[in-house]
Amino acid sequence: MRRVYEGRWVVSRAWIVAYTGAAVSTVLRWYTERSRRPEHLRHPEAVCTVGRTLYFDQQAVESFWAAWQQDVGPASPGTGRRPGDGQGTRGGGPGREQRERAVAVALEALRTAGGPRRGLAAALAREHGGVVRSWQRAVNEAQVRFEQESGAASS
């Protein structure tokens, strides 16, 4: 995490993560995208490598972090994305419209088939494009609606 190299303290990415509170992916992005940033917000270059671990000058990292906090803000070590609520698109927003269309397609497929069938999400992904896991979520949501419809029809 931290060591002396040529008379100065150098630190690893793990140390930077602990120091800044940023995610590992954010620290890696700071480093890989440093050429796109203004010079005062540029992550420092690696000073040395031990094994496969890159080490950076500690003073340069601390200066970078101070400038980042001053420019971007202390509460957002990442890219400035707003934190989510962890609920995906349940709360609405631009992704919800797309999910509703997928659920409608899945619901129609359930009605046509007369109920759930194995491999429906994969078939929908092949037919309409997209990722099977996303279609599985849409099928699960459509299945709840289908069961509610079936329950209401039999009452």
Side-chain angles (χ1 to χ4, degrees):
M1 295 228 338
R2 187 171 171 230
R3 61 178 45 222
V4 175
Y5 176 77
E6 295 181 350
R8 61 183 170 170
W9 283 103
V10 293
V11 295
S12 67
R13 281 199 186 107
W15 186 91
I16 296 170
V17 166
Y19 180 73
T20 62
V24 174
S25 60
T26 298
V27 173
L28 180 61
R29 186 173 43 255
W30 285 338
Y31 181 68
T32 57
E33 295 180 353
R34 66 189 174 282
S35 63
R36 297 183 194 155
R37 303 256 181 224
E39 200 164 322
H40 72 286
L41 291 177
R42 206 169 279 171
H43 189 285
E45 289 285 343
V47 174
C48 67
T49 305
V50 177
R52 295 177 61 192
T53 304
L54 296 175
Y55 283 87
F56 307 89
D57 180 88
Q58 182 176 343
Q59 282 186 322
V61 169
E62 289 171 346
S63 295
F64 157 76
W65 180 237
W68 185 272
Q69 285 183 301
Q70 188 173 14
D71 192 69
V72 178
S76 54
T79 59
R81 289 187 311 172
R82 289 177 308 168
D85 61 1
Q87 300 297 311
T89 57
R90 267 188 253 172
R96 187 64 205 176
E97 186 178 312
Q98 184 177 1
R99 171 70 68 84
E100 285 297 331
R101 285 193 304 269
V103 170
V105 168
L107 184 57
E108 188 55 39
L110 287 170
R111 289 177 184 142
T112 302
R117 67 177 174 85
R118 188 174 178 87
L120 179 59
L124 291 172
R126 280 191 304 275
E127 184 179 341
H128 299 282
V131 180
V132 174
R133 181 67 188 119
S134 294
W135 280 105
Q136 186 60 55
R137 289 185 194 104
V139 167
N140 291 344
E141 198 171 323
Q143 193 169 344
V144 169
R145 293 182 189 178
F146 180 78
E147 290 169 0
Q148 288 171 344
E149 284 178 4
S150 299
S154 63
S155 303

